[in-house]
Amino acid sequence: MKVIVLGAGIVGVTSAYQLAKSGHEVTVVDRQSGPALETSFANAGEVSFGYCSPWAAPGIPMKAMKWLFMKHAPLILRPKLDMAMLSWMARMLSNCTSERYAINKSRMLRLADYSRIALAELRAETGIAYDERMLGTLQLFRTQQQLDASAKDVKALAADGIPYEVLDRDGCIRVEPALKRVRDKIVGGLLTPKDETGDCFKFTNALAVKAEALGVRFAYGTTIKALDVEAGRVRGVVTDRDLDRERERMDADAVVVALGSYSPLLLKPFGIGLPVYPVKGYSLTIPITDASRAPESTVMDETFKIAITRLGDRIRVGGMAEISGYTNDLGLARRSTLEHSVTDLFPGGDVSKASFWSGLRPMTPDGTPVIGPTKIGGLFLNTGHGTLGWTMSTGSARLISDLVSARTPEIDSRDLAVSRYA
């Protein structure tokens, strides 16, 4: 079939690659000049197959109230008269129960573990290098209360057969030797050893080259204006460019929407209520000047919800959740929080040389992505991955390729479809 993939981030490019492998004629459309130039550009670098949890969790409403008054807050809320924002927040709060948390985390772990297998096979198949490491994620606890609260995550990991290890202070230092300088600041940690790290931007660009070799066409610098839908079925995409030298419409047998936070805006005119909302995250990329003071893999600072990740000769420090709509400005206070976390745990680095970035994460209220068909024939969604687009991209791509190709997926994806919000 002729398939159009909308979006050239990590989710769109992996989808295009898998669809091309399945024998389809694929075109990727993106407004940027190349792949992975928005949310996939400078994310935290975690590939968190085990460390993946819904933000909507028991106790979060009370924690959120406290965070709003912290100097280095993990959550920043800038409320506005925006029904999409208010509706999304209300739905998220409704998912902050033990029952919903268990259901949502199980969905996430199922897809993440499938992605772990898919990424390993893709790496072996393509030979792509992207500053990858396979040394796990250490969720670091500064207080006994945080360590005790991790019991619910341990229970979920055990139930889904995901390897983990609860560590004391010495165990954390064994995994991350540079923490010996700040041993008095930590009480323990939760290690998920199957987690990986890597540069999402490097990976996406390298895979785009592989996709082109399979015949995928990339239409960069092209703004998507609308879907072309006739008689309840998608017929193509209307753009701002005369791509075929005759008309602005690109014809397709199927369309995959992988536009991240912008997906709901495209779908709204067709009555598809997709509760995806942008939650801005920030990152610093710092050159390593002393390897003995740098992390070996990813350290997740639970107090500030900030990930500190080794990417080759750099450290990527990423985190925070700012709910402020479709704004992508860089706030200096957010940079201060990132600098505080990394210098407090790994002192000695030169943060003055860091590059500062922000991106809009496409979040669903329950934390799980939306993957599957819609009520419009031939129209599929692969979006809403939140902070886990890099983690879940390869598994999501296999799922969407199977669904578009009318094959039965290797894992159950029915509870990931947009119909769960009906």
Side-chain angles (χ1 to χ4, degrees):
M1 295 188 293
K2 290 181 67 174
V3 183
I4 296 175
V5 176
L6 303 181
I10 181 63
V11 173
V13 171
T14 52
S15 297
Y17 180 84
Q18 289 296 335
L19 286 161
K21 279 189 63 182
S22 293
H24 301 296
E25 180 186 334
V26 183
T27 300
V28 179
V29 184
D30 196 283
R31 65 184 177 185
Q32 295 291 350
S33 58
L37 289 175
E38 293 197 21
T39 304
S40 301
F41 180 70
N43 63 24
E46 296 174 271
V47 190
S48 308
F49 305 122
Y51 180 73
C52 61
S53 299
W55 286 13
I60 285 295
M62 290 301 297
K63 286 183 180 179
M65 293 299 294
K66 295 178 183 178
W67 287 337
L68 291 176
F69 299 98
M70 284 174 56
K71 178 181 178 182
H72 297 298
L75 173 67
I76 305 99
L77 176 61
R78 303 191 186 284
K80 57 180 67 178
L81 191 58
D82 179 351
M83 289 308 299
M85 175 191 285
L86 297 175
S87 174
W88 182 87
M89 291 176 63
R91 289 191 181 199
M92 182 181 178
L93 288 172
S94 72
N95 277 277
C96 292
T97 66
S98 297
E99 181 183 6
R100 294 305 309 171
Y101 180 85
I103 292 170
N104 296 329
K105 187 172 179 69
S106 180
R107 288 174 179 168
M108 296 171 76
L109 287 172
R110 182 203 319 152
L111 179 56
D113 196 53
Y114 183 52
S115 289
R116 176 183 62 82
I117 297 167
L119 177 58
E121 292 179 357
L122 182 60
R123 187 167 52 236
E125 171 187 314
T126 62
I128 290 175
Y130 49 97
D131 289 333
E132 70 276 10
R133 288 190 172 207
M134 292 78 182
L135 298 175
T137 294
L138 176 62
Q139 186 180 3
L140 196 68
F141 305 123
R142 294 173 183 256
T143 68
Q144 187 63 41
Q145 184 179 10
Q146 291 173 347
L147 181 59
D148 294 342
S150 69
K152 66 181 185 303
D153 290 323
V154 168
K155 183 178 179 181
L157 291 168
D160 284 87
I162 307 298
Y164 69 90
E165 187 178 353
V166 179
L167 303 175
D168 59 12
R169 179 183 287 123
D170 289 334
C172 292
I173 294 170
R174 171 176 54 81
V175 173
E176 288 287 353
L179 291 173
K180 65 185 177 184
R181 296 178 176 86
V182 295
R183 61 177 293 116
D184 292 339
K185 294 182 180 181
I186 61 179
V187 300
L190 175 60
L191 176 68
T192 43
K194 295 295 185 181
D195 286 3
E196 303 177 8
T197 59
D199 189 320
C200 184
F201 176 76
K202 283 188 175 182
F203 179 90
T204 308
N205 276 264
L207 189 62
V209 173
K210 300 289 185 181
E212 285 183 314
L214 292 176
V216 176
R217 175 190 180 193
F218 286 86
Y220 297 122
T222 303
T223 299
I224 301 147
K225 294 170 67 175
L227 298 171
D228 188 356
V229 177
E230 299 175 8
R233 184 168 188 85
V234 69
R235 302 297 180 185
V237 180
V238 181
T239 73
D240 67 340
R241 288 180 56 194
D242 187 6
L243 290 169
D244 296 325
R245 298 186 179 181
E246 295 179 359
R247 55 190 174 185
E248 292 177 337
R249 193 182 86 167
M250 301 173 65
D251 293 326
D253 300 305
V255 174
V256 176
V257 179
L259 291 171
S261 299
Y262 295 90
S263 301
L265 307 183
L266 184 70
L267 299 168
K268 186 176 180 180
F270 303 97
I272 298 175
L274 178 64
V276 168
Y277 198 77
V279 177
K280 183 160 60 171
Y282 295 86
S283 77
L284 291 176
T285 304
I286 310 168
I288 293 175
T289 54
D290 182 350
S292 70
R293 294 178 176 269
E296 293 296 321
S297 187
T298 290
V299 172
M300 183 70 195
D301 186 347
E302 182 64 18
T303 298
F304 303 107
K305 301 291 185 182
I306 287 174
I308 305 168
T309 300
R310 176 78 164 264
L311 295 177
D313 59 357
R314 301 158 294 148
I315 296 174
R316 176 71 50 76
V317 187
M320 288 175 289
E322 181 176 311
I323 304 172
S324 55
Y326 288 85
T327 60
N328 211 13
D329 55 307
L330 288 168
L332 291 181
R334 309 289 84 80
R335 176 169 183 145
S336 174
T337 297
L338 295 171
E339 290 181 352
H340 173 74
S341 178
V342 68
T343 57
D344 195 48
L345 292 177
F346 297 96
D350 188 356
V351 294
S352 68
K353 296 179 180 179
S355 57
F356 187 33
W357 172 89
S358 69
L360 301 179
R361 311 183 189 104
M363 296 292 299
T364 60
D366 58 17
T368 53
V370 181
I371 306 171
T374 67
K375 64 182 181 180
I376 297 174
L379 181 64
F380 297 84
L381 306 182
N382 192 4
T383 188
H385 294 75
T387 59
L388 296 167
W390 183 197
T391 296
M392 297 180 171
S393 58
T394 49
S396 300
R398 281 193 178 184
L399 281 182
I400 206 67
S401 180
D402 285 340
L403 292 168
V404 170
S405 305
R407 294 190 300 260
T408 301
E410 295 175 301
I411 64 169
D412 189 0
S413 64
R414 291 171 296 179
D415 56 357
L416 300 177
V418 71
S419 57
R420 73 178 188 261
Y421 294 114

